[in-house]
Amino acid sequence: MDILAFGVQADEKPLIEEAFRGRYEVRCLDVFLNDDTAPIAAGHEIVSTSVNADLGPSVLRTLAAGGTRMIAQRSTGFNNIDLAVAGELGMTVARVSSYSPYAVAEFAWALAMAVNRRIVRASTRTRDFDFRLDGLMGRDMHGRTAGVLGTGKIGEAFARIAHGFGMRLLGWDVAENLACMQLGMSYVPREQLLVESDLVSLHVPLMPDTRHLIDADALKAMRDDAILVNSSRGGLIDTAALVHELRAGRFAGVGLDVYEAEAGLFFLDKSLEAVEDDTLARLVTFPNVLVTSHQAYYTEDAVGQIVDATAKNVLDYLAGRRSENVLVPRS
């Protein structure tokens, strides 16, 4: 039996092939799953997808009509999957419930420090042998306040790094994390966190009640010289509202590894094409904004764990086992 994997990155392919070696054949495609590519899966009982796959009703119905019965998503988030429709079609859906939290937390800090210390601008200058310091002044993180929205495993890892910098910690979540409290974190209402934080980092899942968690009002509540970092899901921020605030000259820095309209853009080479997304085109022009292409998770450790968990999900499905990774069980 062949397993078809969509949206496989070049660095990821040998890890996927090795995980299934001696068990099943796996076909790795660099194209992403959507309405146009779904027919390729015909005849494959098991399909593995990446975080930016379109698994809405029409795609799911095309997969089901072609014989697909199991979807193994290679990510923690599953906001791109219509679970209700998958259940109606009798499809099993599994995800990777956890992997190295340090990969994302460390990258979030890389974004924060890059915009704080103007690293990209400094690097561009020195490539042109311009060694001036004008416009490159940052701030010490020590003694300032870090606000962590979402204090699960990744938020906790981010908070531990902030604690190492000697920062005051504020947290917001539906449940308090004892480990974060032991670091000295105080849990406060979201509005208070936004008002008091010098650095705000997002680590919550994207769900209907968290979409645009950082909306126009939230952005206005933040300090003019605050740093905003999002390494979770693009839909957590109202990007149009963010652009509006940036045009007004607000925020010391914004680091975004995700973008709410990234599907069809991120993970692809669009360098020779006209940019049709006016919001993104405007966003990347601001000197205090750094946008990366959803790479926070992309370490050998994290990707290896994701691939191993995906292989286990497939084997569990074939053996009729159910684990904590299953979102829609086998019917």
Side-chain angles (χ1 to χ4, degrees):
M1 178 180 63
D2 286 351
I3 299 166
L4 188 61
F6 284 92
V8 177
Q9 303 296 315
D11 297 328
E12 186 185 15
K13 182 178 179 180
L15 297 176
I16 292 177
E17 292 175 339
E18 180 60 31
F20 287 98
R21 195 181 308 279
R23 296 169 174 170
Y24 302 97
E25 293 295 323
V26 57
R27 292 178 56 205
C28 294
L29 305 179
D30 59 4
V31 297
F32 295 94
L33 179 60
N34 53 39
D35 278 312
D36 293 330
T37 60
I40 300 173
H44 292 85
E45 180 180 349
I46 300 172
V47 167
S48 178
T49 58
S50 61
V51 65
N52 275 341
D54 176 0
L55 285 159
S58 62
V59 171
L60 288 171
R61 291 190 177 100
T62 299
L63 293 177
T68 298
R69 294 293 175 264
M70 193 267 180
I71 296 168
Q73 175 129 308
R74 303 188 307 279
S75 72
T76 299
F78 52 90
N79 54 283
N80 60 319
I81 309 173
D82 192 319
L83 299 180
V85 172
E88 292 171 4
L89 294 170
M91 304 177 79
T92 299
V93 180
R95 60 155 177 171
V96 178
S97 58
S98 65
Y99 56 86
S100 170
Y102 310 107
V104 178
E106 290 171 6
F107 192 84
W109 266 106
L111 288 175
M113 294 307 295
V115 296
N116 176 41
R117 301 306 299 269
R118 315 291 193 259
I119 298 299
V120 175
R121 185 185 301 179
S123 176
T124 301
R125 283 187 184 179
T126 55
R127 285 178 180 272
D128 293 332
F129 296 96
D130 178 354
F131 300 105
R132 294 172 300 160
L133 297 181
D134 298 348
L136 300 182
M137 184 175 288
R139 295 176 295 173
D140 289 3
M141 288 296 184
H142 178 83
R144 288 191 158 80
T145 300
V148 186
L149 290 166
T151 56
K153 292 181 180 179
I154 297 174
E156 178 187 331
F158 184 91
R160 289 188 182 279
I161 299 172
H163 179 72
F165 273 104
M167 301 185 75
R168 173 189 176 218
L169 297 174
L170 297 180
W172 175 87
D173 207 326
V174 293
E176 297 180 352
N177 184 331
L178 178 60
C180 289
M181 296 174 70
Q182 290 173 339
L183 295 173
M185 176 178 284
S186 297
Y187 279 87
V188 297
R190 180 175 65 103
E191 293 73 16
Q192 181 181 343
L193 182 150
L194 295 172
V195 168
E196 297 184 11
S197 296
D198 299 287
L199 166 63
V200 174
S201 191
L202 308 182
H203 302 287
V204 300
L206 179 60
M207 300 181 293
D209 58 349
T210 60
R211 180 170 293 278
H212 288 182
L213 180 71
I214 303 299
D215 58 11
D217 290 338
L219 291 165
K220 290 183 184 302
M222 292 176 61
R223 296 181 175 183
D224 288 346
D225 60 354
I227 292 172
L228 174 63
V229 173
N230 186 10
S231 57
S232 185
R233 287 292 183 269
L236 297 175
I237 296 178
D238 182 339
T239 314
L242 175 60
V243 168
H244 178 79
E245 296 301 315
L246 288 166
R247 291 181 63 184
R250 300 190 64 226
F251 306 130
V254 175
L256 305 174
D257 185 50
V258 287
Y259 173 60
E260 60 180 326
E262 69 182 54
L265 290 172
F266 282 19
F267 306 138
L268 300 172
D269 181 2
K270 297 289 186 177
S271 60
L272 299 179
E273 300 178 21
V275 178
E276 297 180 359
D277 189 324
D278 292 338
T279 302
L280 179 60
R282 185 69 179 92
L283 190 64
V284 299
T285 64
F286 293 104
N288 57 333
V289 174
L290 175 56
V291 178
T292 53
S293 55
H294 207 139
Q295 71 181 84
Y297 78 99
Y298 208 53
T299 67
E300 293 180 5
D301 311 80
V303 175
Q305 292 168 15
I306 289 169
V307 169
D308 288 345
T310 300
K312 183 179 183 300
N313 288 342
V314 169
L315 295 176
D316 284 346
Y317 162 78
L318 293 171
R321 297 187 296 263
R322 182 174 177 178
S323 73
E324 71 281 359
N325 289 340
V326 175
L327 299 170
V328 180
R330 187 170 187 172
S331 57

